[in-house]
Amino acid sequence: MFTPPVRYTPDVETIALDEQDTIKRLNSAFDIILERTAEDYGHAVRSVHAKSHGILRGEMLIDGDLPPELAQGLFAKPGTHPVYLRMSTNAGDILPDTISLPRGLAIKVLDVEGERLPGAQGTTQDFIMVNGKVFQAKTADKFLGNLKLLARTTDRIEGVKKVASATLRGVRHAIEAVGLEPPAALNSLGGAPQAEPLGETYYSTTPFRYGAYIAKFSIAPVAPAMTALTGSEIDVDGRDNAIREDVQAEMRGIDAEWEFRVQLCRDLEKQPVEDPTVAWDEQDAPFVKVATIRAAAQDSWDPALVQAVNEEMRFGIWTGLAAHQPLGNINRARNEAYRHSADFRARVNGCPYHEPAATDA
């Protein structure tokens, strides 16, 4: 029997006095990345997760008969929504795939009804996840320190990054060989496994409102052709876009299916809101399925879809319902900083982003 879920109240968050100053400095660090890559590429790209490996069109089917604590927000009633999915890696520059980094999966759910978060345009709900259970920094100030390091090396010393990535992958294998869990920072610096994106489970890492409650999110592959890829690694073999090429080949024959899962907070001490470096123990707070996402076999690098999603849309955790308000210092910092990044991209490329509706899908 599990402890009842914690009810959301505003006092579950603790707002630091210097938070707004940190956010301004985050914007400045992002500007270094954005301006440098735009100058080098002649085209503005995202300040994080710049390189996309696949764009998919699909649908989310929300479960019926969910218990009251799970029938919240977007998931309050059964239904089917069009979705877009974007697979990526987390660097702000477009690196060859020989440099191995954590995978990302962004989901945009269309035609979502309900009260919107402040500044959230359209009728969409975004979820942004990575293939790791924790965020790389405890606070926005610590995140700023990491970002400054990335800014100094963005679109620079590619050869050194390749050598460092190979070395760090060796370190990770050595740590795993003795039964230990590699630190999250090792992956973010280039030591991540060359994981097959379609076989990975992805996590929000940070908490959100879940209607009356608090939760983290996850999406896990369940189609047999996808779970067969879980744990396997892509042989990049000198191919700069190996991940994109392999995903494209795989998705021509896979009807993809994932479970969308929710992990309700049941103890604020064990499952803290303000420290995303702490994994919520699934023995105390299990992930529970609330929806299914399906994407039929398709061209995952269709030029028209890449243009529509990769270039003309933004993904942000503050795009969505008030019922799924992002919580915690890291999430509050990501609001203005990520919108700042998207505004730069739209301005430089002369391509304002927009939130799609079902008629666009």
Side-chain angles (χ1 to χ4, degrees):
M1 190 68 178
F2 296 107
T3 304
V6 174
R7 286 191 168 269
Y8 166 78
T9 59
D11 61 7
V12 301
E13 294 188 276
T14 303
I15 299 177
L17 294 176
D18 63 347
E19 201 162 278
Q20 286 304 310
D21 178 63
T22 300
I23 290 170
K24 290 178 182 177
R25 290 187 289 152
L26 279 168
N27 286 346
S28 297
F30 275 128
D31 279 342
I32 295 172
I33 297 173
L34 291 162
E35 290 168 5
R36 180 172 291 170
T37 52
E39 179 183 353
D40 289 354
Y41 304 150
H43 180 82
V45 298
R46 289 169 170 84
S47 57
V48 290
H49 290 272
K51 187 171 186 177
S52 178
H53 304 302
I55 305 292
L56 300 175
R57 181 189 283 116
E59 60 181 7
M60 172 183 276
L61 295 83
I62 297 172
D63 290 359
D65 300 322
L66 291 172
E69 67 269 19
L70 294 175
Q72 300 283 324
L74 168 61
F75 308 94
K77 60 182 181 180
T80 301
H81 299 265
V83 298
Y84 292 107
L85 302 99
R86 178 181 185 264
M87 291 170 275
S88 63
T89 49
N90 70 351
D93 42 357
I94 299 175
L95 298 168
D97 290 347
T98 47
I99 300 170
S100 55
L101 295 164
R103 306 286 185 250
L105 182 64
I107 306 162
K108 188 176 289 291
V109 186
L110 279 57
D111 292 352
V112 174
E113 298 177 353
E115 180 188 353
R116 308 287 293 169
L117 287 162
Q121 299 173 335
T123 56
T124 62
Q125 174 69 51
D126 288 1
F127 298 98
I128 298 178
M129 306 193 197
V130 294
N131 62 335
K133 294 185 178 182
V134 297
F135 197 76
Q136 61 182 296
K138 180 177 180 178
T139 63
D141 189 57
K142 297 292 185 184
F143 180 44
L144 175 62
N146 295 347
L147 189 64
K148 285 180 177 178
L149 174 62
L150 291 174
R152 287 196 295 271
T153 61
T154 293
D155 217 28
R156 298 289 189 271
I157 56 176
E158 186 175 293
V160 174
K161 290 180 182 179
K162 289 180 180 179
V163 173
S165 182
T167 302
L168 290 171
R169 285 197 301 274
V171 172
R172 177 180 54 78
H173 284 307
I175 293 173
E176 291 173 338
V178 295
L180 298 177
E181 182 75 18
L186 185 68
N187 288 345
S188 65
L189 291 171
Q194 291 287 16
E196 282 270 6
L198 293 172
E200 289 294 279
T201 296
Y202 299 85
Y203 301 87
S204 66
T205 74
T206 54
F208 296 76
R209 276 193 68 176
Y210 192 70
Y213 304 101
I214 303 161
K216 291 184 179 181
F217 305 118
S218 177
I219 180 171
V222 292
M226 299 170 73
T227 56
L229 298 172
T230 301
S232 62
E233 298 192 26
I234 289 176
D235 181 6
V236 296
D237 193 26
R239 295 179 293 149
D240 286 353
N241 298 310
I243 303 168
R244 183 181 300 165
E245 292 165 2
D246 282 17
V247 168
Q248 188 176 31
E250 290 155 0
M251 274 306 302
R252 289 193 179 105
I254 291 178
D255 288 328
E257 184 172 323
W258 297 264
E259 285 186 354
F260 190 98
R261 300 168 178 172
V262 169
Q263 184 183 34
L264 292 173
C265 174
R266 299 176 184 276
D267 184 324
L268 286 170
E269 292 294 323
K270 294 180 178 179
Q271 296 113 39
V273 165
E274 292 288 355
D275 187 355
T277 64
V278 174
W280 294 4
D281 192 331
E282 294 178 45
Q283 296 297 316
D284 298 322
F287 278 100
V288 182
K289 175 179 176 287
V290 294
T292 299
I293 293 179
R294 293 177 180 149
Q298 59 190 276
D299 181 358
S300 61
W301 203 249
D302 173 76
L305 197 57
V306 169
Q307 175 64 30
V309 178
N310 216 42
E311 299 298 330
E312 298 174 10
M313 294 183 198
R314 68 180 289 269
F315 291 84
I317 58 169
W318 286 84
T319 297
L321 299 177
H324 298 310
Q325 174 189 331
L327 301 176
N329 173 256
I330 289 290
N331 276 346
R332 293 190 297 274
R334 291 163 83 189
N335 186 11
E336 184 178 329
Y338 286 19
R339 187 175 293 275
H340 177 83
S341 168
D343 287 344
F344 177 94
R345 187 163 56 94
R347 183 173 65 254
V348 170
N349 294 342
C351 181
Y353 52 80
H354 72 284
E355 294 302 326
T359 52
D360 303 314

